[in-house]
Structures are given as structure tokens and as C-alpha cells.
Amino acid sequence: MTTHSDFAIIPFAAHLGADAYGLQVPWATFYGNQTPVQTFEIDGKPTETGYMLIQTLAVGLSSHKILINGHMLSGLNLPQHDGWQTWMIVIDVGLLRHGTNTVQFVRDAMTNDSFVVGNVVVHWREVEADVGTGYAGVRPLT
């Protein structure tokens, strides 16, 4: 069983907030309380824990959530900070899956916080997809 690491870079450039005027970020698209669902593919079977690197701008509160395949990540998702910051969060075993996966950010709508999600990198280890075997269990030459 061969494993390897892989990753996906997901550009968001998403401004979340109560209104579009909370931050002066004309290069980011204003979405209100949640980003669009972004997708990425995993060719093999994910194993172990994964992690995300998340670029954010001006997160005022730490009560916002990150969804992977529709499931909220546990723990502190986005720490409070001024300016740009890159944050790493662990993705528990079982949240990532073979095939299409999704990521979405959801703003705590009970606040007036306004922030930006820049780029996101999702990193995982996977068991390589079975490419089939040749005669007597020997892999074909490629």
C-alpha cells in the first residue's frame, strides 16, 4: 500500500460581513454571511489527519466556522487578529474523502465582524488509487 501527500490551493478572495463597507477590499467579492462552496478533488483514499492553511484579513472575532464536506471543524477555526495572518487548522480523520470535497466559511451572523478569506491550502495524505493489477497480481509496466 503506497501513500503520498497531496494538496489543493483554493482561491477564495471572499469578503464576509454585515455589509460590503466594513472593509475597503475592492479586490475581494462581498458574500455576506458565507462564502460559496469551493471544491477540490482527492484521487486516492485520505488517511490520517490533514490540515488547512488559511489566509485571512482582519478577523475581529473567533466565532466564525469552517465547513469541510458540510461538517463544521472543531476547535478554534479562525483566531482574532488585525491585518493579514495565515492560520493552520487540523482536519480530523474521516472528514476528507476520495473524489470531490468541499470547503466553505460561515460568518457568525450575530456579530458585526467583517473579514476576508484569501487563499486556502488543504493538505492530506492518501493511499494511492488502485490502478489495477496485471497477471498474477503483478502491476503492469507504465
Side-chain angles (χ1 to χ4, degrees):
M1 174 168 64
T2 304
T3 62
H4 68 270
S5 295
D6 207 347
F7 67 94
I9 300 172
I10 308 163
F12 273 88
H15 175 195
L16 299 182
D19 59 61
Y21 310 103
L23 289 172
Q24 299 302 312
V25 287
W27 49 267
T29 303
F30 178 73
Y31 291 107
N33 289 332
Q34 59 189 25
T35 65
V37 173
Q38 299 284 0
T39 62
F40 63 97
E41 298 293 322
I42 296 181
D43 295 330
K45 180 180 187 259
T47 62
E48 306 171 26
T49 57
Y51 65 89
M52 297 174 64
L53 298 173
I54 306 159
Q55 292 177 318
T56 53
L57 173 66
V59 176
L61 298 166
S62 58
S63 55
H64 309 296
K65 298 296 180 194
I66 303 169
L67 302 171
I68 297 282
N69 293 323
H71 299 281
M72 277 194 289
L73 296 181
S74 60
L76 177 64
N77 286 194
L78 299 174
Q80 186 176 349
H81 64 277
D82 294 323
W84 281 102
Q85 185 179 61
T86 300
W87 176 250
M88 185 179 87
I89 187 164
V90 172
I91 302 170
D92 291 331
V93 174
L95 286 180
L96 297 175
R97 60 184 176 224
H98 169 76
T100 302
N101 289 264
T102 63
V103 178
Q104 184 179 36
F105 291 80
V106 178
R107 177 184 161 272
D108 182 348
M110 302 302 290
T111 72
N112 287 326
D113 197 18
S114 189
F115 65 98
V116 172
V117 178
N119 291 309
V120 172
V121 177
V122 180
H123 189 270
W124 65 90
R125 289 198 55 79
E126 66 183 48
V127 176
E128 290 183 9
D130 185 12
V131 296
T133 57
Y135 178 74
V138 177
R139 289 194 176 276
L141 295 176
T142 54

